[in-house]
Amino acid sequence: MQGVAGVSGPAFGARHIAIIMDGNGRWAKRKHLPRALGHKKGVEAVRNIVRVGGEMGLEAMTLYAFSSENWNRPEDEISDLMGLLRQYIQSDIEEFVQNGVRLKVIGNYKALDADIVGMIDNAIEKTAGNDKMTLAVALNYGAQDELLRAVQHVAARVKIGELEPDAIHVDHIAGALDTAELPPLDLLIRTSGELRLSNFLLWQAAYSELYFTDTLWPDFDKGELEKALQAFGSRERRFGGR
Ligand code: IPE
Ligand code: IPE
Ligand code: MG
């Protein structure tokens, strides 16, 4: 396998990037504002980065918006986040259609409130024919939960005799993950200075390049994305070879 060093263009050869959008709360705290305003600014940063990513020619962008562990937050914060999600889907769907963005959701989003599930399904359907960039939003997503569901799917195939246990291949698992039809993950970015994956894309990140920045998510703009992609462009990817 060949690295991407030397590939030019705004995305430096990256096809699929993912972002752990962290630091909304700290952004608000620093400005003596309520956390909810940090999340609101975070949505504006999402809107901007989705536009920029499309312009840069990325094929896919996966954004961690709500983890399966974020249910541990206080009820009022969860309700603020769900309210913002409702607003975002409604206000941005037209722009997705105009810009050729196909919406996809990873994670067990069917467990969200019924009205949100309806809005999401409608947005997925409306943007299904778009092919400029896939925006995969991770909602009620946890990588362990995703792997568990994939294993259950494969086990069900074994049970009905479609597949022999010995014949289970990595492609069966990869194909049963929520990200099945997305390109391989090239770059995983985390904002806000935390150095952990927080149960995000554990399988998919096997050979992704990792990029951590102290910038808080609401401040993550085009220049920050360019910096991350530039860093990606200077990495030598070896995939275990030499
Ligand atoms: C990320 O910001 C947004 C979500 C997890 C929904 P945080 O809310 O985690 O912000 P910090 O980490 O407390 O600063
Ligand atoms: C990860 O951020 C989840 C999202 C960005 C949606 P968290 O703020 O929930 O992660 P931890 O708790 O610091 O690991
Ligand atoms: Mg956080």
Side-chain angles (χ1 to χ4, degrees):
M1 281 268 204
Q2 200 179 311
V4 290
V7 176
S8 57
F12 292 92
R15 297 172 64 199
H16 179 193
I17 70 165
I19 311 180
I20 303 174
M21 310 183 290
D22 199 11
N24 293 351
R26 277 162 285 167
W27 182 92
K29 194 170 182 191
R30 274 182 205 174
K31 295 193 145 44
H32 307 285
L33 294 168
R35 281 183 77 86
L37 272 181
H39 293 312
K40 190 160 176 269
K41 267 304 252 197
V43 174
E44 287 170 28
V46 169
R47 186 170 289 129
N48 183 45
I49 285 302
V50 170
R51 260 177 220 153
V52 168
E55 286 162 12
M56 285 178 167
L58 289 172
E59 279 174 55
M61 188 183 263
T62 300
L63 302 179
Y64 206 3
F66 193 87
S67 77
S68 48
E69 287 74 35
N70 285 148
W71 297 111
N72 294 325
R73 297 196 178 197
E75 237 172 81
D76 61 336
E77 181 169 356
I78 294 174
S79 143
D80 287 340
L81 287 166
M82 294 302 152
L84 283 168
L85 178 59
R86 284 184 178 91
Q87 275 177 24
Y88 177 68
I89 301 169
Q90 282 171 324
S91 61
D92 282 47
I93 177 149
E94 271 321 308
E95 181 166 338
F96 294 164
V97 171
Q98 273 165 27
N99 293 348
V101 173
R102 181 176 75 107
L103 181 72
K104 182 181 166 62
V105 172
I106 64 168
N108 183 15
Y109 75 95
K110 299 276 182 190
L112 300 177
D113 287 351
D115 71 308
I116 299 184
V117 175
M119 280 180 203
I120 290 172
D121 286 337
N122 175 51
I124 291 173
E125 201 186 300
K126 263 200 173 150
T127 62
N130 295 349
D131 58 6
K132 191 154 175 262
M133 182 179 83
T134 298
L135 169 64
V137 181
L139 290 172
N140 190 19
Y141 175 89
Q144 290 179 343
D145 174 66
E146 179 193 34
L147 271 162
L148 173 66
R149 286 184 285 108
V151 168
Q152 283 170 338
H153 176 84
V154 173
R157 290 184 60 189
V158 170
K159 192 180 177 195
I160 59 171
E162 219 180 81
L163 198 59
E164 286 297 321
D166 288 346
I168 300 173
H169 186 266
V170 283
D171 290 345
H172 290 113
I173 309 275
L177 295 174
D178 298 345
T179 52
E181 88 283 24
L182 294 176
L185 182 61
D186 293 308
L187 174 66
L188 176 59
I189 298 170
R190 182 169 190 149
T191 60
S192 89
E194 306 294 352
L195 305 179
R196 56 178 171 265
L197 295 180
S198 300
N199 204 11
F200 193 45
L201 302 177
L202 298 182
W203 173 285
Q204 296 85 344
Y207 267 105
S208 306
E209 294 298 322
L210 307 178
Y211 180 87
F212 297 97
T213 171
D214 287 338
T215 301
L216 302 174
W217 175 250
D219 293 326
F220 193 87
D221 59 10
K222 182 177 180 178
E224 296 285 336
L225 183 60
E226 283 170 348
K227 257 199 273 177
L229 284 162
Q230 241 159 42
F232 170 78
S234 70
R235 306 268 180 95
E236 188 195 344
R237 303 184 79 186
R238 287 200 288 271
F239 300 98
R242 50 172 278 184

